[in-house]
Amino acid sequence: MEDILDPKTQLLVALAAASAAKCQTCFATLHGAADRVGASEREMRAAVAIATKVAAKAREAMAAFVARTAGTGPATGAAAGGCGCS
């Protein structure tokens, strides 16, 4: 993996994943590490913003899936079988 993504990019991806996973300990650790390899606050905020959007779409898709599966409401939100990110 190290040969494909540079350390800063790896840490930005990991920071976004920690944000999506809602892991405060990982986020704090990765934020410091990203800062040390030169990631700017703007880059870190952008990574977190992407993770937040993906997580929100996934929540919407899951709610629609549950509603369809349980027969408790109309299928709304993302298309059947996906998070709607495509």
Side-chain angles (χ1 to χ4, degrees):
M1 179 171 58
E2 293 80 19
D3 294 338
I4 299 169
L5 298 174
D6 63 272
K8 183 171 85 170
T9 302
Q10 289 179 39
L11 285 165
L12 289 170
V13 170
L15 186 68
S19 175
K22 298 177 179 24
C23 182
Q24 294 176 4
T25 301
C26 290
F27 186 89
T29 300
L30 292 163
H31 186 278
D35 184 56
R36 285 190 296 279
V37 298
S40 69
E41 284 297 320
R42 185 171 183 227
E43 290 171 315
M44 289 187 259
R45 283 193 305 271
V48 170
I50 292 167
T52 300
K53 287 180 184 180
V54 170
K57 286 291 188 179
R59 280 190 301 276
E60 290 172 18
M62 188 62 184
F65 173 76
V66 168
R68 284 191 312 274
T69 302
T72 59
T76 58
C83 67
C85 63
S86 58

